[in-house]
Amino acid sequence: MINELDLIDWSSMNHAYGPADEIPGWLRAMASMDRSVGDGALSDFYGAVHHQGDVYVCTTASLPFLFALADDPVTPDRASVVELLVSIGRHAVERCMYDYAGEMGYAGSAVVVRERADAFVSYAADDDPAVRRAAVEGLGLFIDDAGRAAGLLRDRMSAERGARERLPIVEAMATLALRLPEATETATAWFDGLAGDVTTEPVVRLAAVVQRARCAPDLIDEELVPTAIGLLRRIPVVVKEGPEGGGNGCGTAVAGSATGAGSVTDAEADAHSGVEPESEAVSEAGAAPGVGSQPRDPARTAPEIASPTAPQPAPGVPPQVLAAFEDLDRSQLVHSPATPLLRALHEVLDSRVPERSALLAEQLDSPHPGVRHDAIRMAKEVMTSWRGDHTALLTRLADRLVTNDPYTAAEVAEALRSVAPIAEPAREPLAEFVEVQRTAHGPEVWAMPDPSVRRAHQQAVMALARLGDPRALPSLLVALDTGVDAWRAVQVAASLSAAAGQLVPRLCRELERFERSPEQSDMGVSALLSALGRLGDASAVPVIAETVTAAMRSVQWPTAATALNALAAFGPTGAPALGVIRGVTGTHDPAVRVAAAGALWAIEGRPEEVLPLLEDLLDSHCKHEAVDVLGRIGPAASRVVPRLRRMLTAGYEWTRVHAATALWDIGGPDEAPQVLEILLDAWRTNEFTANNVIACLDRMGPAAAPAVPLVRSELARPRRGGRFHGVENDEELQRVSRAFLLRHG
């Protein structure tokens, strides 16, 4: 088959990055005896021909050659080729089942893998256990005879020993039942038998419980979580010493692992949990470095908790960008074999927040370091997605802030920072952690070389600052004085308004760097300007005004607009900047002009000067911002009422919301009927408008009484709402909604 590659007109097809001419070379390289060559070709193929799960016509054309590689016993890495075939087939079959396949190759690939389903039967019985693990999912995906597929999976379960081989079989049975409803009854009965079999590994029994719930969510009862917790407790803990004889900073209990120095062998560990250990953390996507879209192997986990080596900053790459990629990499790591199962269980439980909280309490108290660590992100997901009293969960999270485990402590602190509006129960543990670190490592621990300790401290300080706690200040000052990760300190500085006298001079110094080199625009300038505006210390006004001038000189329109918005936050105390502001009102950039108009209004409040500027912007792409300033002007802007009424018929609900809000603020009760109709319709149409809508309804007083049922309905829903469903926006939405209902009885 490989020799027939040149018979295909690859140049007539395209992959993610252009013509598919490279495919023959990649396929030939996959057969190379040089492992590095084969791995590189596989990575390139994934990145272009199966990019982020996409399936193209050229992907379909590649399938016969991939099957030939998988069939050939001398192919060096057959398991990876089989894994690739399964991934292509999975994405193709699922897209054809649930979505229109379009002009890409989904439909063609689905046909090919189904026609070659017996190949996966052969691979699933291969002598190589890695090939078997990679192939078994195909039995649930590609065989359309439900009875035959279920029988094959049962046979594989009987033939395999060890959880690493058996876990994919349990998942494949669930895949089959979810794809072919006629297999559901057989699958659920099999899951029940497996879950109750005391001779089976606890992690496999847990998998059976979870997959049964996935396949039969209507049959979930109050015993599901206690059963799962009981099985989770039965998963053995293998105790080992860390490489330095003292563990890895996250405790010495390691789930299912005997890697490195220790008192048990790999075989002994496998006898306990059935999951072969890995030497390092791997991504949940199962990808080797540089392989962007390989499917997850649920058995590839990191039993030890250790901070990955921090990459060296690339020249010219902003630290914020580097940090974002590091966070993305961390979010994909799996530290326990039970993690995929527990995540699946949380997905099944969905809105059952009390049950999920009980499960998370068990996870966070687990003797398995990996289970505890991976529970942190799951806890964050519950708190950021669902409303309720999360005090107990926050307290348990805070208990994981221990100084001898900076890797996990950093994850906890980051989670607490992300839910700052509800994180009050964690205030004292955060403060204690920060102080202990400063005592142990010195006052400049924020900037210390150890990346693990530094990250833990920085995240805890940022979380504490978000709570407005002054105990975060010393470390923020270290950041701004040393320049080490100062951008992180800038993100939270505005939360410490009482310390403006110490923070503002330092923030201004940072801002002056931009003024000196505006052509080297720093993506942190917006955060600096926002922080200075929120802190409100008038000593910053001249520096911000100079930033406007420097930004205009270097044609940095977004920075100029942000600086003008910061000046508006000062109100009348921003008067020293009026000359600079007036000097940019005639620029051709709409964002700068509307920001200048807003600043003029906030500082001087002269409608006769500001109204003409704003009227000229009502047909620009910044019309929403212009309308908002008109609303702040109020009745003095009555001459724009006819234009605002016309905007109520716009096709975009956000335009209607901004116009309706301004119309109420300008026209008052006379505009109430149409304003109310527009606002309620927009809320029902797009829930992201809720914060804007409820803020206006709250100002409308008795005229907004008809909105009471919708507001009550909003408060009754368990899932977070508001703009982007963020915690801060949702908490504000709830607060204003409750106040609204109190006033309306």
Side-chain angles (χ1 to χ4, degrees):
M1 283 295 296
I2 293 295
N3 293 330
E4 297 176 11
L5 279 167
D6 295 331
L7 300 179
I8 295 175
D9 184 8
W10 296 100
S11 63
S12 67
M13 296 175 272
N14 290 300
H15 53 51
Y17 301 108
D21 306 82
E22 308 102 320
I23 290 180
W26 291 333
L27 291 170
R28 288 190 175 97
M30 287 183 203
S32 172
M33 292 298 114
D34 186 333
R35 185 63 180 266
S36 64
V37 172
D39 288 348
L42 187 68
S43 174
D44 290 340
F45 190 98
Y46 265 110
V49 189
H50 190 34
H51 178 69
Q52 297 182 351
D54 285 342
V55 177
Y56 309 91
V57 173
C58 65
T59 318
T60 303
S62 303
L63 287 175
F65 303 98
L66 291 172
F67 275 110
L69 287 167
D71 291 341
D72 190 343
V74 302
T75 297
D77 190 5
R78 292 174 60 230
S80 291
V81 177
V82 172
E83 193 175 32
L84 172 58
L85 283 166
V86 170
S87 181
I88 293 170
R90 182 197 323 113
H91 284 90
V93 169
E94 290 177 353
R95 182 66 67 91
C96 291
M97 287 173 60
Y98 302 115
D99 195 8
Y100 175 60
E103 297 181 358
M104 298 174 71
Y106 294 101
S109 288
V111 169
V112 173
V113 294
R114 282 182 166 135
E115 288 177 346
R116 298 289 300 269
D118 282 342
F120 295 96
V121 177
S122 174
Y123 304 149
D126 197 86
D127 291 339
D128 185 344
V131 172
R132 297 200 302 272
R133 286 194 299 270
V136 73
E137 184 183 1
L139 304 183
L141 281 169
F142 310 134
I143 296 175
D144 291 328
D145 182 332
R148 181 187 177 217
L152 287 166
L153 289 169
R154 288 195 299 265
D155 291 344
R156 291 309 321 148
M157 181 63 79
S158 299
E160 296 290 3
R161 293 292 178 269
R164 191 174 187 188
E165 275 66 44
R166 303 182 97 188
L167 283 170
I169 300 171
V170 180
E171 186 173 359
M173 185 69 84
T175 298
L176 175 67
L178 291 169
R179 183 173 67 90
L180 301 176
E182 59 267 32
T184 301
E185 185 175 350
T186 298
T188 53
W190 185 70
F191 290 141
D192 285 339
L194 197 58
D197 185 354
V198 296
T199 66
T200 297
E201 303 93 332
V203 71
V204 176
R205 295 173 63 192
L206 176 62
V209 169
V210 172
Q211 300 300 349
R212 184 191 190 279
R214 286 184 64 214
C215 295
D218 293 342
L219 300 180
I220 291 176
D221 58 26
E222 60 185 13
E223 293 302 314
L224 173 61
V225 170
T227 300
I229 288 174
L231 290 169
L232 186 60
R233 289 174 178 171
R234 293 176 64 86
I235 297 175
V237 176
V238 178
V239 179
K240 62 175 286 295
E241 292 298 322
E244 301 299 327
N248 49 35
C250 196
T252 57
V254 180
S257 171
T259 54
S263 58
V264 294
T265 66
D266 286 352
E268 289 169 333
D270 188 60
H272 284 291
S273 71
V275 181
E276 294 180 14
E278 293 289 328
S279 60
E280 61 178 18
V282 299
S283 89
E284 190 173 11
V291 181
S293 57
Q294 290 193 50
R296 173 182 58 81
D297 177 348
R300 296 183 66 195
T301 59
E304 294 193 41
I305 308 298
S307 178
T309 302
Q312 293 299 312
V317 177
Q320 298 93 322
V321 173
L322 183 64
F325 279 102
E326 291 174 5
D327 289 343
L328 180 61
D329 287 342
R330 274 189 293 268
S331 73
Q332 294 176 336
L333 291 177
V334 177
H335 301 86
S336 164
T339 293
L341 297 175
L342 292 167
R343 284 184 177 162
L345 182 53
H346 278 287
E347 290 175 7
V348 170
L349 291 170
D350 195 39
S351 63
R352 297 175 173 89
V353 175
E355 289 90 339
R356 295 181 69 177
S357 296
L359 178 59
L360 283 165
E362 181 67 26
Q363 293 172 243
L364 289 167
D365 290 343
S366 171
H368 300 265
V371 171
R372 294 198 304 268
H373 186 93
D374 290 345
I376 297 165
R377 193 168 296 273
M378 296 183 217
K380 183 174 80 169
E381 289 167 358
V382 167
M383 293 187 291
T384 55
S385 299
W386 301 97
R387 295 167 175 170
D389 183 358
H390 297 301
T391 300
L393 196 50
L394 288 162
T395 301
R396 263 199 167 83
L397 267 179
D399 288 342
R400 303 273 72 82
L401 285 167
V402 291
T403 52
N404 67 343
D405 179 12
Y407 181 56
T408 297
E411 193 77 8
V412 171
E414 191 280 329
L416 294 172
R417 179 172 63 87
S418 69
V419 296
I422 61 171
E424 182 60 33
R427 178 191 293 268
E428 292 309 316
L430 280 167
E432 181 181 356
F433 178 79
V434 167
E435 183 55 34
V436 168
Q437 279 202 314
R438 287 174 60 82
T439 300
H441 302 288
E444 295 197 352
V445 58
W446 174 283
M448 76 175 298
D450 186 326
S452 184
V453 173
R454 184 174 70 241
R455 177 172 174 259
H457 183 76
Q458 290 180 358
Q459 293 293 340
V461 167
M462 293 170 73
L464 194 61
R466 286 288 308 275
L467 291 168
D469 196 299
R471 288 171 287 187
L473 180 62
S475 290
L476 297 186
L477 297 182
V478 168
L480 295 171
D481 288 339
T482 64
V484 176
D485 294 331
W487 64 275
R488 294 189 189 274
V490 172
Q491 288 183 338
V492 298
S495 299
L496 299 180
S497 56
Q502 293 174 273
L503 290 167
V504 168
R506 291 169 168 86
L507 296 174
C508 287
R509 188 178 62 225
E510 289 288 309
L511 193 55
E512 286 169 346
R513 288 194 306 105
F514 166 76
E515 295 168 20
R516 290 192 294 270
S517 304
E519 68 280 358
Q520 303 294 327
S521 179
D522 183 350
M523 65 183 298
V525 169
S526 292
L528 276 165
L529 291 166
S530 175
L532 288 169
R534 288 176 58 194
L535 287 169
D537 188 319
S539 65
V541 169
V543 180
I544 299 175
E546 284 299 319
T547 302
V548 174
T549 301
M552 294 297 293
R553 185 168 54 242
S554 58
V555 199
Q556 300 281 348
W557 306 128
T559 299
T562 302
L564 289 163
N565 288 329
L567 289 171
F570 289 90
T573 61
L578 282 171
V580 170
I581 297 169
R582 287 195 173 95
V584 301
T585 55
T587 186
H588 74 275
D589 184 77
V592 173
R593 283 156 54 201
V594 74
L600 287 176
W601 171 254
I603 294 170
E604 279 197 315
R606 294 173 55 204
E608 65 276 12
E609 179 180 12
V610 176
L611 278 173
L613 301 175
L614 295 170
E615 288 174 300
D616 289 344
L617 292 163
L618 290 178
D619 293 321
S620 74
H621 68 269
C622 294
K623 56 181 172 289
H624 295 170
E625 292 81 357
V627 166
D628 289 347
V629 178
L630 288 168
R632 291 198 288 274
I633 293 173
S638 59
R639 75 192 199 195
V640 301
V641 164
R643 294 188 67 177
L644 293 175
R645 287 174 180 159
R646 289 197 295 273
M647 292 174 74
L648 297 180
T649 64
Y652 186 35
E653 67 274 3
W654 275 107
T655 299
R656 299 196 300 271
V657 166
H658 284 276
T661 299
L663 193 58
W664 168 262
D665 291 331
I666 295 168
D670 290 344
E671 306 294 337
Q674 57 184 337
V675 166
L676 190 61
E677 179 184 357
I678 292 294
L679 293 179
L680 297 187
D681 178 71
W683 193 348
R684 296 186 186 102
T685 301
N686 182 351
E687 60 180 314
F688 286 172
T689 65
N691 289 99
N692 296 62
V693 172
I694 192 63
C696 185
L697 294 175
D698 194 46
R699 296 196 299 272
M700 290 176 68
V708 165
L710 181 59
V711 177
R712 282 185 179 146
S713 176
E714 171 61 41
L715 284 178
R717 51 180 264 167
R719 188 178 287 277
R720 291 200 181 277
R723 191 80 181 269
F724 304 127
H725 294 171
V727 175
E728 189 167 359
N729 289 333
D730 180 66
E731 290 295 314
E732 177 68 8
L733 172 61
Q734 292 184 71
R735 185 191 67 77
V736 180
S737 294
R738 292 190 185 99
F740 176 88
L741 291 179
L742 281 175
R743 282 193 292 274
H744 288 273

